[in-house]
Amino acid sequence: MRRNRLGKSKVQVTELGFGGGPLGGLFAPLDDETAAGALEAAWDSGIRYFDTSPHYGIGHSERRTGGLLRGKPREEVTLSTKVGRLLVPQDPAGRMDESFMVPATHRRVWDFTRDGILRSVEDSLERIGVDRIDVLFLHDAEQHFEDALREGCPALAELRGQGVVGAIGAGMYHPGKLTRLVKESDVDVVMLSGRYTLLDQSALDELLPACTDRGVSVLAASVFNSGLLATARPAEGATFDYAPAAPRTLERAHRIADVCETHGVTLPELAMAFPLRHPAVSGIVVGMRTADEVRRNMAAFGVEVPAQVWDDLRSEGLLDERAPVHVRRSPEPRCAEQPSGPVRHVSLARRFAAERCDLTQG
């Protein structure tokens, strides 16, 4: 599978990445065996970029992702996780988590401070069972943006400078805030959720031009807009951005599906191909929960979309005129600059404690 570099870093990702949200029990419970089967199917299909987060299933996604990595050559994998929420143990008292279908064994505490980020990374390294993270994102910082920009970004840059992480960025759905982050900090990559898709191209206004100007890569997530574009025809009750699709949005999806059918392709195939036509987009990240889902997505990802599809969508007013669709980058070579072995890390918790001790005794 084609690999692309993230910004000016040495980190590369496969153009299709495995999104770890469903591994945490998103929308429905998921057992360990099914999760492991999905991860193994992704590996067998050639996917080498795996994204996870402490938020996903309050640690379940990270642990399950780590189960795959322990049996694979670490130098072949690109791993990303996220910071911004600390997981604090609690008695579940029979309750389920508020966001994922898992017992509520932990509660989330927002924290974009340097201390919080170091603690979060240390916890993630332990849960996943690795000694480095290739890409580290500030996660869902829309409501805590100034803290994330002022404190979080410098902490991530520090970790990158120490070799604990290879590339840094932020994952959000708000293109305006990501644009500020790109312009006001030294990030390598942003993960944009649902704002550069067949149904929402608002990232063309500011974010994608800023990323192009600054040499920052984009990873496009939620390319199906939470379900509306995930089937050949929108299903009854299909969701757009995790809410029932509005009639106008539903009609637009059906019109796009009409064009697809004319050319012998499907909505999911087009939804996966579209973001990658933009030169700033290095990859797409698709959440998957079963081996069958992985195989279906891989089949859709491998379809060559006829050029005329894009022209017809434009002539029908279904595609922004600014969206580049006939340009494809050359693949990045697998280079020796990609880390070839583990980067040993000093325990971040111990390092931070030592720094505090030095300050109090100095």
Side-chain angles (χ1 to χ4, degrees):
M1 188 182 299
R2 184 195 305 257
R3 294 172 183 255
N4 296 311
R5 190 187 306 273
L6 298 181
K8 300 180 180 68
S9 78
K10 298 177 182 179
V11 178
Q12 294 182 342
V13 296
T14 48
E15 284 196 325
L16 177 57
F18 187 103
L23 296 185
L26 182 65
F27 301 132
L30 186 71
D31 61 80
D32 288 343
E33 183 179 357
T34 302
L39 288 162
E40 285 290 347
W43 180 270
D44 292 342
S45 71
I47 293 173
R48 294 295 183 268
Y49 170 41
F50 295 86
D51 175 67
T52 184
S53 169
H55 172 55
Y56 301 156
I58 47 179
H60 277 67
S61 177
E62 286 190 323
R63 283 190 290 271
R64 286 167 168 169
T65 301
L68 172 81
L69 299 185
R70 283 190 287 276
K72 307 300 180 187
R74 181 64 181 89
E75 66 275 10
E76 293 189 22
V77 182
T78 299
L79 168 71
S80 64
T81 192
K82 306 179 181 77
V83 295
R85 296 174 175 93
L86 288 172
L87 302 184
V88 179
Q90 66 177 7
D91 180 358
R95 293 173 292 120
M96 297 297 284
D97 181 65
E98 60 188 16
S99 302
F100 293 80
M101 297 297 290
V102 296
T105 57
H106 294 72
R107 61 186 177 88
R108 300 168 180 84
V109 176
W110 289 102
D111 195 334
F112 288 99
T113 65
R114 178 178 180 272
D115 186 8
I117 286 173
L118 295 180
R119 292 177 188 277
S120 182
V121 170
E122 182 72 14
D123 290 345
S124 290
L125 290 170
E126 183 175 350
R127 277 190 295 266
I128 302 171
V130 294
D131 57 7
R132 77 169 188 274
I133 294 166
D134 300 302
V135 190
L136 188 62
F137 293 106
L138 301 168
H139 196 194
D140 293 342
E142 283 86 351
Q143 303 304 315
H144 309 269
F145 184 75
E146 296 304 327
D147 290 340
L149 183 64
R150 183 179 62 254
E151 298 188 60
C153 283
L156 263 59
E158 178 184 350
L159 291 170
R160 181 180 57 188
Q162 294 170 346
V164 177
V165 301
I168 61 172
M172 302 186 219
Y173 65 85
H174 196 295
K177 286 184 166 59
L178 283 176
T179 301
R180 270 196 65 196
L181 189 96
V182 167
K183 291 181 175 179
E184 298 180 26
S185 69
D186 182 25
V187 295
D188 305 294
V189 57
V190 295
M191 183 178 288
L192 176 66
S193 179
R195 295 299 175 262
Y196 194 59
T197 71
L198 290 174
L199 293 171
D200 187 332
Q201 290 130 51
S202 54
L204 287 167
D205 295 338
E206 295 182 308
L207 177 60
L208 287 169
C211 288
T212 300
D213 290 345
R214 299 271 295 182
V216 173
S217 292
V218 177
L219 294 171
S222 300
V223 297
F224 299 139
N225 284 120
S226 84
L228 190 55
L229 300 173
T231 54
R233 283 282 174 181
E236 184 178 351
T239 60
F240 175 81
D241 286 359
Y242 304 101
R248 183 176 179 180
T249 305
L250 196 60
E251 179 195 9
R252 186 179 183 88
H254 276 290
R255 290 178 62 197
I256 297 172
D258 290 339
V259 175
C260 288
E261 288 180 0
T262 299
H263 295 280
V265 293
T266 67
L267 267 181
E269 293 164 0
L270 204 66
M272 297 175 85
F274 170 69
L276 289 164
R277 312 305 292 189
H278 197 290
V281 177
S282 292
I284 62 172
V285 180
V286 178
M288 297 176 257
R289 62 188 298 118
T290 68
D292 285 343
E293 275 190 17
V294 172
R295 287 188 279 268
R296 286 197 301 271
N297 285 329
M298 277 302 303
F301 181 74
V303 169
E304 186 68 29
V305 176
Q308 189 61 42
V309 173
W310 310 115
D311 295 332
D312 288 357
L313 289 174
R314 277 189 169 150
S315 67
E316 293 285 336
L318 295 170
L319 194 63
D320 195 304
E321 292 287 340
R322 299 170 296 173
V325 291
H326 294 304
V327 178
R328 285 299 283 122
R329 66 175 65 79
S330 298
E332 294 273 2
R334 262 316 283 285
C335 62
E337 296 176 352
Q338 181 90 350
S340 57
V343 178
R344 302 302 301 173
H345 82 281
V346 177
S347 168
L348 297 173
R350 289 197 296 271
R351 179 190 303 159
F352 187 76
E355 290 176 359
R356 290 174 58 178
C357 182
D358 289 344
L359 288 173
T360 58
Q361 294 180 4

